[in-house]
Amino acid sequence: MLCLAMPLARARGGANARALFERGNRELAARRYVAALELFLRVAKVTQRRSVILNIGQTYRLLDLPHRALDYYKRYLASSRRARKLPYFADVKRFMARCSRVVTLVRRAEEQQTIGDCNGALHALSRAAKESSWARIGLRRAQCLSAVGRRAEAQKVAVAALESYNSLVREWSATGARTDALPDHAAIAAAIRSLTSLVRATTPAHRRDEPTPKPPAPRPAMVVLLGVP
C-alpha cells in the first residue's frame, strides 16, 4: 500500500482539509469505503487537488459505483496536459477501461430492456456482473428476470441488490451526513422502491408477511490505494 500525502497548506481551510484527507485514508485502508467517500467529498469542497480527485475515484470504484469512478478518473487525467506523466497513469487507465466496460454493458442492457429485449439485456448484464457488483446491475437483472417469468431468480437477485442499496444508505447515514447529500440519492431511492415492489411481487401471497431473506455476505474486495504524493 502507498502512503498518501496532500500538500494543502496554501488552501483555504488547508489544515482541516488535510486532517479530513488523512482520516479518509484511514477509513479507506480499513475498508470503510462509505465513510472514506464522505470525508474525501468534504475535502473536495476545499481543494480540487489531484490526490483528492484520484482518491474519490478509487473509493467509488471500491464501492462498485463504476459510473462515478469513471467520472473522477477522467477528471484526474484531465488535470494535466501531460497526463501520461501523472503518477499512476497506467493504473488509472486500467481502472477506467474496466469501469467503462461495465457502464457500457449496463447502458446497452437498459436500451435493450426499453425495447422489450430482456433476454438480450440479461446477456449484457451477465457480462457486466462478472466485472462488478454494482447494485444497478442487480436491479436491471431482477427486472428482466421477472419480465421473462423467472420469478424465483428475480427475487434472489432483487434481494441482494436491495441489500446493497440499503447498506449504502445506512453507512452514509452513520457518518452523520444528510441522506440527501448522498451522491445519486434520488436514483438510489427510486431503485429501493422498485426493488421493494419487485421482491413483494415475486413472493407468494402466503409468504409475504415473512421477513425478507438476507443475501449471502460478499467476499471482501482487494484494496489498492493510490494517491499523489
Side-chain angles (χ1 to χ4, degrees), residues 19-193:
L20 291 174
F21 187 78
E22 291 174 352
R23 281 176 56 196
N25 285 338
R26 291 194 293 272
E27 297 289 359
L28 193 60
R31 302 179 190 271
R32 292 188 288 267
Y33 304 136
V34 175
L37 176 64
E38 192 271 336
L39 289 164
F40 290 143
L41 290 175
R42 285 165 64 185
V43 177
K45 293 179 180 179
V46 177
T47 177
Q48 292 289 304
R49 283 188 175 273
R50 292 171 187 154
S51 52
V52 180
I53 298 304
L54 178 57
N55 277 21
I56 292 174
Q58 282 290 88
T59 309
Y60 273 128
R61 181 180 62 83
L62 291 166
L63 280 168
D64 278 311
L65 296 170
H67 63 308
R68 285 282 185 172
L70 191 58
D71 287 343
Y72 277 86
Y73 286 145
K74 287 178 178 178
R75 287 174 60 181
Y76 173 69
L77 295 184
S79 68
S80 172
R81 293 182 180 179
R82 303 176 66 188
R84 289 184 177 275
K85 299 293 185 180
L86 287 172
Y88 315 115
F89 172 80
D91 293 300
V92 170
K93 289 292 286 185
R94 177 165 51 87
F95 293 145
M96 284 181 67
R98 185 172 183 178
C99 290
S100 183
R101 283 196 302 271
V102 172
V103 171
T104 298
L105 285 167
V106 172
R107 287 176 177 167
R108 182 186 306 165
E110 289 174 339
E111 292 172 359
Q112 292 170 311
Q113 183 183 5
T114 299
I115 63 174
D117 181 12
C118 285
N119 286 317
L122 284 169
H123 177 69
L125 292 167
S126 293
R127 290 174 59 194
K130 292 178 181 179
E131 299 202 56
S132 173
S133 297
W134 190 12
R136 186 164 161 183
I137 298 172
L139 168 65
R140 300 309 183 198
R141 283 187 67 205
Q143 291 171 338
C144 289
L145 287 167
S146 179
V148 298
R150 294 159 63 179
R151 295 168 65 83
E153 290 178 74
Q155 185 186 62
K156 182 178 180 180
V157 172
V159 167
L162 182 59
E163 176 57 25
S164 293
Y165 279 123
N166 281 330
S167 177
L168 179 61
V169 174
R170 284 195 303 269
E171 291 179 38
W172 180 267
S173 298
T175 68
R178 290 173 47 179
T179 303
D180 60 3
L182 173 64
D184 295 331
H185 167 70
I188 290 171
I192 289 173
R193 289 193 298 271

